[in-house]
Amino acid sequence: MSDWRELRTTTWSMVALIFMVAFESLAVTTVMPTVSDALDGASLYAFAFAGPLATGVVGMVLAGPWSDRSGPRTPLLVAIGLFTAGILVAGAAPSMEVLVAGRLLQGFGGGAMTVALYVVVARLYPAMLHPRVFAWFAAAWIIPSLVGPAGAGVVAQHLGWRWVFLGVALLVVPTTLLLVPALRRIGPPETAGEAAPRGRLAWAALAAAAVLGLNLAAQVPLPWSVLVAVGTGLGALVALRAVVPAGTMRAARGLPSVIATRGLVSGAFLGAEVYLPYLLTERYAFSPTTAGIALTFAGVAWAGTSWLQGRLGDRLPSRTAVVVGSALVVVSVAGVLLTAAAHLPPAVAISSWTLAGAGMGLVYSRLTVLVLSYSAPGTQGVNSSALSIADSIGAALALALTGLAFAAVDRSPDAPFTAALAVAAVFAVGAALVGPRVGSGRPQAEESTDDAASSALRS
């Protein structure tokens, strides 16, 4: 274990990698219409976004057990290599089909990278530093949210859209080189985990297919879209049950509730976020740039409360952070929902969404901290991958259902937004109900200590 000063270079390297993932996510959203037009790929436009989310699930499942078994160094370097290769393929793509293939590879590497970085934190940093590290991870999204869309537009206009991809790939290499010395210090865990069972990989593949189906369901005409959503939704839930800790689907106390809360709160936040700019531009005549301010405010609030909870450390119990943060998300989504339903002033929606960012800043990092605290040596990767999988599937399910609700209701201009945001509100309420159960289990480290003490007393 090392202190914060000894790990500065490592910390900044990992934060930089997450920064690049965040920038790529936001930048691609900005330039994809240009890419689609240039490559005549309108039919694959949605797939270019849904694909990386789906393949990321498989990457998460593979990286978790691999990191537990051999340490996170090799899985992380392989994941970075795949992520970079995907960006290069997308940047050089002669057709939309090739670009989508690159995006699939990019998503696979990105999903594995996230899990491996969590294990690096678990293996290299003292537990007292975990909240601070994850606060920096969350803060790494704030600058891309401010400059990513505009920066991508400038690059696409003056250098061409390909450099939005290729430029990031060039930055990944030196950042990774700075991280390698620290990775060499991490050996295999004393208690090695097991390889990913073939059945687990099969379930991950099913989850990936279901995620794609859920995201594409809204593109299918009614009533077939409902059938697609039900079928793929059930498939996603069945697959999720097989790759998360036992008890997650019923929100059992402790680790299962941590995983369940992550899926629900991610679904609530993303399910509402994608419709807020749309609501502001359609119903309040905001320009796209002005509508984006609402997301910027939320990003700043997210980074701010994430930094604050990191500084507070153990003075702010994780259960309290999750309960308060989940409640803030409920209030926030309700505020945006009421704005759409009653056509309230747009300031209500913008201020509400700023509060949503604050709530997510409290919840997101602490859920990751709780997963590590509940994980015995050799299970940190598996549990971290389960957290990320729940995140992806929860968001995909919310997007599919909000999309179906939006398409199914057209009685008035405000009705589609109201219906979609109502679905997001259901996810938010679910997170608030499950959140209090996250702190009811006992950390594995504590249990191990108690078992040892009991053995000593019996001796």
Side-chain angles (χ1 to χ4, degrees), residues 264-355:
L264 289 167
V265 78
S266 296
F269 186 83
L270 189 59
E273 184 183 50
V274 297
Y275 289 98
L276 178 57
Y278 196 3
L279 173 68
L280 294 176
T281 54
E282 283 288 311
R283 305 302 302 141
Y284 295 95
F286 276 38
S287 69
T289 301
T290 306
I293 294 176
L295 306 186
T296 299
F297 286 162
V300 172
W302 186 326
T305 54
S306 182
W307 174 86
L308 177 62
Q309 65 80 29
R311 298 294 295 179
L312 290 174
D314 292 338
R315 288 175 290 173
L316 176 66
S318 292
R319 180 179 181 275
T320 301
V322 172
V323 169
V324 173
S326 298
L328 290 176
V329 173
V330 172
V331 173
S332 304
V333 175
V336 180
L337 171 60
L338 289 174
T339 302
H343 204 69
L344 300 178
V348 175
I350 295 173
S351 58
S352 294
W353 203 243
T354 301
L355 200 63

Side-chain angles (χ1 to χ4, degrees), residues 175-195:
T175 302
T176 303
L177 292 177
L178 291 174
L179 189 58
V180 169
L183 296 177
R184 288 175 177 165
R185 292 158 48 192
I186 306 176
E190 295 180 4
T191 304
E194 299 179 353

Side-chain angles (χ1 to χ4, degrees), residues 119-139:
V119 180
V120 170
V121 175
R123 297 289 311 283
L124 200 59
Y125 290 73
M128 63 179 296
L129 292 180
H130 290 175
R132 185 183 297 188
V133 176
F134 290 121
W136 278 110
F137 281 8

Side-chain angles (χ1 to χ4, degrees), residues 186-207:
I186 306 176
E190 295 180 4
T191 304
E194 299 179 353
R198 291 183 179 178
R200 183 178 172 86
L201 295 179
W203 285 117
L206 175 60

